[in-house]
Amino acid sequence: MAAAEALGAARYFTRWYKADVKGRPCEDFCVLQHSNRICVITLAEAHPLLQPGKTITSINYQISPNCSRLQNKVSGKSKRGAQFLTELAPLCRIASSDGEEYTIYSFIRGRLIEVNENILSNPALLQEKPSTEGYIAVVLPKFEESKSVTQGLLTPEEYKEVLLKRQNSSSGS
Amino acid sequence: MSSLTEKDRPIVQLLLSAGTCPRCIFRFCRVGSQTLYRHPYKDLMKDLKQFLEGNQEEEDRACFDVADPPCKRFRHGHTEEGADDLNQNGVLSQIPLANDGNADVENSDVENSAVEVCNVCLGILQEFCEIDFVKKMCEKVNSSDFQFTSFVFSVSLPPQLSVREHAAWLLVKQEMGKLDLSLAKDDIVQLKEAYKWIIHPQLSEELGVPTDGKSLFEVSVVFAHPETDEECRFLATVCPDCFKPAKNKQSVFTRMAVIKALEKIKEEDFLKHFPCPPSSPKNLCVALEIQCNNGAVFVAGRYNKYSRNLPQTPWIIDGERKLESSVEELISEHLMAEFKADSFNFSSSGREDVDVRTLGNGRPFAIELVNPHRIHFTAEEMKGFQQTINNSSDKIQVRDLQLVTREAIGRMKEGEEEKTKTYSALIWTDKTIQKEHIAFLDDIKELKLDQKTPLRVLHRRPLALRCRIIHTMKSQYIDEHHFRLHLKTQAGTYIKEFVHGDFGRTKPNIGSLLNRTTDILELDVESVDIDWPPALEN
């Protein structure tokens, strides 16, 4: 599935990864950055939510009593009114049937352009097509930060090594 | 001197002694005869002096009157104006002083007949009406090497001229008030108008073409007078709201702002700040620039683009060129050379991506050639230009190249939204397909799409959800992973996104219809259905 998905809309984007976010094992994310600096936030293939047997029970964009990502409204070319996100701003929380709850972060400093409302009505999208139709949100970094926002993230090759190490250590123990 | 009458005598006397030139005196005396202004300057001066001497005795008496007890006389004329009286007294007492000062200058002028720079026009209606200056303008026009059949002449005057004109008007108005006559500012012959009366026939003669207010060829001259540049300053303290700084403005003292302030300022305030009559300047105006400009001409046609590595317009990111050429450059380069234009503006009925070809009859375009030096070309010559463009590149071809009017270009832009376009797309599918999997696409008519602004343009366009229509589709099976799709769509539909779905942001899309992941490998525009510009015979 993941290999086939590499084509399609996502082929115009550069991939950046972050592994074990906030020290939580295997909570990996993938940012797809277009050459026009637009970033799409997605779950990486290794994320616990994408493992066989997981069932998503809820997706919540209300990240605090006063802040819902669904309230985000942008207008005009300059995207006025967008919520501004720092690297560790939460985008949503996703609960699974085994009682776990996962927080999805932005990873990218920038303006929140849109969140994916399609996964609310069809959570299966998130698991079936995590890097295309199951995306979490679209973020637009500041023009002057369009290069620096991905600093500290892993390239696909670096991420592959992380996955390999993970595999070795788990098979070794 | 038939145009001047007895009642003009005091005005002529007053202005001449204040250092005003004969043509400006005519203007304030409302002389409307164009030919009179064209008489040689020296003759005019001589005639004016004769006009005054014709009644030398009376004139002397008048001078005495002014010099001795001026206030009484003026007060007499203005008793009915009541409240203004005091202010006017205070001001009017200055006039004899100014007159006295200038009387000497005038006398010496009579003796040595050197031309004193006019205190109102600062030399515009003196030196700058002489044939030498006209010849200088002609040299500039001829060396600029323009093609033209008529011309329009425009003048830009320094703003302080309006202030001096205002002061002279107040002076003459007061003088006429003594005779219970009035003078509205509009009654005065405009300086620009008089200047054009004098220049037009001379310039027309030298250039060998008539003047025409609607001509596209403009000869313009910009005058400045540095010596008196500060004279507008006081207006900003009296009418600060007329002088608001704005970007693209070098100085707040534009001619329009000064005129507006002069309309608002009270007479007494003006006279407190500005000498009336205006002082005599030392220097003439300078002609800062003499410019020629030809109105833009427009060339239209249709283009084909056969390359998937050619953008429509130069593709520059962070000041760096991504690809060496563009459609607009390939077309315009040659036209720029033939029309000898300064610059061009390219527009078209929509645009295609760098990797998209435009086939069939091509896409309508128009090019505005700015300030062209050559404008007359036959249909045969236009055909030659088209041939040259087509011979110069394999990447594009042009047809129906023709001269059009500015208005006609509107028709191209009108069509942009409402007309249809047809495309051919080469599509890849992840899971295998058979003919029967895609045949149903042919039966779909008027398919409504909800299309969010594509991610690839979202950085420079507003986020919006647009409804677009795919009128018809026709599929052509190639192999288990590929097929070709011919589409007829509403203009403004993003085809690539309709094929790959843009993260589910275009719904439905080919992927969702086929229940597969799909991608677009190639896209061609087959037709842009606008019947403009008119087809030409080949």
Side-chain angles (χ1 to χ4, degrees):
Chain A
M1 168 67 71
E5 255 189 56
L7 272 150
R11 80 174 155 119
Y12 308 100
F13 293 76
T14 310
R15 290 168 169 246
W16 298 95
Y17 292 87
K18 192 156 177 87
D20 306 324
V21 168
K22 288 208 164 182
R24 298 167 67 106
C26 299
E27 287 196 24
D28 303 349
F29 296 87
C30 177
V31 174
L32 300 159
Q33 188 176 34
H34 195 275
S35 56
N36 68 11
R37 81 177 191 275
I38 289 268
C39 292
V40 183
I41 315 299
T42 68
L43 298 184
E45 298 88 336
H47 195 282
L49 278 168
L50 303 185
Q51 304 318 306
K54 275 275 186 185
T55 309
I56 291 170
T57 50
S58 80
I59 298 172
N60 192 357
Y61 280 112
Q62 183 90 36
I63 48 106
S64 75
N66 296 325
C67 182
S68 168
R69 301 305 184 197
L70 292 172
Q71 300 287 308
N72 189 63
K73 286 261 169 354
V74 300
S75 67
K77 280 193 237 179
S78 54
K79 317 295 185 290
R80 284 183 306 277
Q83 296 177 6
F84 194 84
L85 306 171
T86 56
E87 290 90 330
L88 284 177
L91 287 171
C92 65
R93 297 183 216 286
I94 302 176
S96 60
S97 57
D98 54 8
E100 295 281 346
E101 191 190 63
Y102 302 90
T103 302
I104 318 296
Y105 300 95
S106 165
F107 308 110
I108 295 292
R109 259 176 70 81
R111 290 157 174 269
L112 178 62
I113 305 300
E114 67 178 28
V115 295
N116 187 1
E117 294 184 30
N118 294 332
I119 56 173
L120 293 177
S121 52
N122 185 6
L125 270 183
L126 193 63
Q127 291 169 313
E128 288 164 11
K129 298 181 174 182
S131 67
T132 54
E133 286 171 56
Y135 72 99
I136 306 292
V138 176
V139 179
L140 180 63
K142 290 182 179 176
F143 185 80
E144 62 274 21
E145 294 179 353
S146 60
K147 293 267 177 352
S148 63
V149 284
T150 52
Q151 271 170 16
L153 299 181
L154 305 172
T155 64
E157 293 73 27
E158 289 166 335
Y159 180 62
K160 214 175 260 173
E161 277 176 37
V162 169
L163 291 181
L164 269 174
K165 264 186 208 161
R166 216 181 257 168
Q167 218 172 10
N168 293 339
S169 65
S170 64
S171 60
S173 64
Chain B
M1 197 64 52
S2 55
S3 293
L4 293 178
T5 62
E6 204 48 39
K7 67 174 171 42
D8 294 321
R9 180 176 303 280
I11 299 167
V12 175
Q13 171 65 41
L14 179 67
L15 289 175
L16 201 60
S17 63
T20 305
C21 75
R23 292 184 179 115
C24 280
I25 292 173
F26 288 160
R27 294 196 299 115
F28 282 91
C29 292
R30 294 171 285 178
V31 173
S33 153
Q34 298 192 19
T35 47
L36 190 57
Y37 286 87
R38 292 172 191 147
H39 287 187
Y41 186 82
K42 273 186 183 158
D43 295 357
L44 289 176
M45 190 56 116
K46 214 170 80 190
D47 290 352
L48 264 193
K49 284 185 173 154
Q50 273 171 4
F51 170 72
L52 288 181
E53 280 161 14
N55 256 319
Q56 190 60 50
E57 281 193 345
E58 278 171 37
E59 193 204 345
D60 283 348
R61 232 180 288 137
C63 281
F64 261 103
D65 279 356
V66 174
D68 197 22
C71 296
K72 270 185 200 165
R73 266 198 63 184
F74 284 111
R75 208 179 262 164
H76 192 69
H78 285 270
T79 38
E80 275 143 53
E81 291 189 19
D84 285 346
D85 213 23
L86 262 180
N87 291 326
Q88 298 217 347
N89 280 341
V91 164
L92 290 169
S93 59
Q94 292 176 3
I95 294 176
L97 285 173
N99 273 348
D100 284 350
N102 281 325
D104 295 336
V105 181
E106 192 218 348
N107 287 339
S108 64
D109 187 38
V110 174
E111 280 151 27
N112 61 25
S113 79
V115 175
E116 184 190 7
V117 178
C118 173
N119 68 334
V120 180
C121 70
L122 303 175
I124 302 286
L125 297 185
Q126 301 175 301
E127 280 297 300
F128 293 104
C129 293
E130 298 298 318
I131 190 68
D132 284 354
F133 183 64
V134 174
K135 285 201 162 135
K136 203 174 152 194
M137 285 197 282
C138 274
E139 273 166 34
K140 173 76 187 182
V141 174
N142 290 331
S143 69
S144 306
D145 192 27
F146 278 97
Q147 223 175 29
F148 57 93
T149 51
S150 63
F151 71 93
V152 60
F153 179 59
S154 73
V155 194
S156 165
L157 300 172
Q160 61 266 34
L161 270 184
S162 302
V163 182
R164 286 177 166 259
E165 182 96 355
H166 193 77
W169 169 58
L170 292 180
L171 180 74
V172 174
K173 198 169 72 143
Q174 281 167 359
E175 184 67 22
M176 286 176 67
K178 291 184 217 163
L179 304 172
D180 280 326
L181 296 169
S182 66
L183 177 71
K185 209 170 179 184
D186 294 348
D187 294 338
I188 307 165
V189 174
Q190 293 288 304
L191 173 54
K192 252 185 204 182
E193 201 176 354
Y195 188 54
K196 286 179 180 178
W197 287 346
I198 300 159
I199 292 297
H200 274 165
Q202 299 188 76
L203 199 53
S204 183
E205 164 100 27
E206 292 288 323
L207 292 175
V209 294
T211 98
D212 173 3
K214 285 181 184 151
S215 176
L216 290 175
F217 183 62
E218 184 188 47
V219 178
S220 62
V221 53
V222 178
F223 288 109
H225 196 256
E227 181 189 338
T228 57
D229 269 344
E230 304 292 300
E231 288 183 355
C232 300
R233 286 270 165 110
F234 77 95
L235 287 170
T237 56
V238 186
C239 304
D241 52 326
C242 291
F243 301 97
K244 300 225 170 82
K247 53 180 178 183
N248 308 332
K249 247 200 248 172
Q250 286 185 328
S251 159
V252 293
F253 297 102
T254 61
R255 213 175 58 84
M256 290 316 288
V258 166
I259 287 171
K260 205 173 146 203
L262 289 172
E263 277 167 12
K264 289 177 89 172
I265 194 169
K266 287 190 190 123
E267 269 183 48
E268 62 259 37
D269 288 335
F270 181 88
L271 293 168
K272 257 182 239 161
H273 291 95
F274 201 82
C276 182
S279 60
S280 287
K282 287 195 194 73
N283 306 304
L284 285 169
C285 276
V286 285
L288 272 192
E289 24 182 346
I290 300 165
Q291 285 184 330
C292 306
N293 188 70
N294 229 345
V297 295
F298 298 84
V299 173
R302 302 177 80 99
Y303 73 81
N304 289 121
K305 167 168 152 351
Y306 298 118
S307 167
R308 297 196 191 278
N309 283 305
L310 184 70
Q312 194 203 41
T313 52
W315 190 15
I316 294 157
I317 293 178
D318 296 336
E320 220 174 289
R321 248 198 118 119
K322 301 291 263 188
L323 290 167
E324 69 180 36
S325 194
S326 66
V327 172
E328 65 160 45
E329 286 164 293
L330 288 175
I331 299 175
S332 303
E333 207 168 62
H334 187 65
L335 294 175
M336 284 282 289
E338 290 292 348
F339 285 75
K340 295 190 195 297
D342 286 355
S343 61
F344 69 87
N345 294 308
F346 183 91
S347 61
S348 62
S349 181
R351 53 187 301 159
E352 64 280 303
D353 291 339
V354 58
D355 56 352
V356 173
R357 298 189 301 174
T358 297
L359 311 175
N361 267 335
R363 184 187 296 277
F365 69 90
I367 295 169
E368 174 183 13
L369 292 150
V370 178
N371 197 20
H373 290 233
R374 293 286 174 278
I375 51 171
H376 299 299
F377 294 105
T378 62
E380 207 54 44
E381 285 171 309
M382 291 302 293
K383 213 161 136 185
F385 300 162
Q386 174 174 309
Q387 200 56 54
T388 312
I389 293 167
N390 289 344
N391 290 344
S392 68
S393 176
D394 295 337
K395 294 180 174 178
I396 60 147
Q397 288 289 290
V398 167
R399 77 188 68 203
D400 302 333
L401 194 74
Q402 56 196 285
L403 286 161
V404 296
T405 61
R406 184 191 290 271
E407 291 70 35
I409 288 168
R411 299 201 36 205
M412 181 181 79
K413 287 284 171 191
E414 269 166 37
E416 208 167 39
E417 282 296 310
E418 62 203 43
K419 293 294 169 67
T420 60
K421 302 198 175 175
T422 59
Y423 298 90
S424 162
L426 179 61
I427 298 171
W428 169 90
T429 63
D430 61 336
K431 287 183 270 180
T432 59
I433 46 164
Q434 300 304 320
K435 265 186 189 163
E436 54 268 30
H437 290 133
I438 57 169
F440 76 99
L441 293 172
D442 298 20
D443 300 327
I444 299 177
K445 305 284 178 233
E446 305 300 315
L447 175 66
K448 282 204 176 84
L449 306 185
D450 284 325
Q451 196 158 49
K452 280 189 187 167
T453 306
L455 291 174
R456 71 186 155 97
V457 300
L458 190 54
H459 62 300
R460 56 181 162 87
R461 302 250 164 87
L463 176 62
L465 180 65
R466 295 184 187 82
C467 185
R468 290 287 182 264
I469 294 169
I470 308 285
H471 297 298
T472 57
M473 289 186 274
K474 178 129 186 58
S475 61
Q476 208 180 323
Y477 183 84
I478 298 172
D479 63 34
E480 287 188 331
H481 288 285
H482 299 91
F483 69 101
R484 188 166 281 285
L485 189 65
H486 299 277
L487 309 100
K488 183 167 186 170
T489 75
Q490 183 184 358
T493 311
Y494 290 102
I495 305 304
K496 287 178 177 174
E497 279 68 21
F498 173 61
V499 174
H500 63 54
D502 197 27
F503 292 74
R505 298 170 77 259
T506 289
K507 288 193 290 192
N509 55 64
I510 293 292
S512 71
L513 292 170
L514 295 180
N515 197 22
R516 279 162 173 76
T517 293
T518 49
D519 200 359
I520 183 160
L521 303 181
E522 283 176 9
L523 181 62
D524 293 325
V525 177
E526 304 245 272
S527 75
V528 179
D529 303 327
I530 295 171
D531 55 359
W532 188 90
L536 301 179
E537 284 173 40
N538 281 316

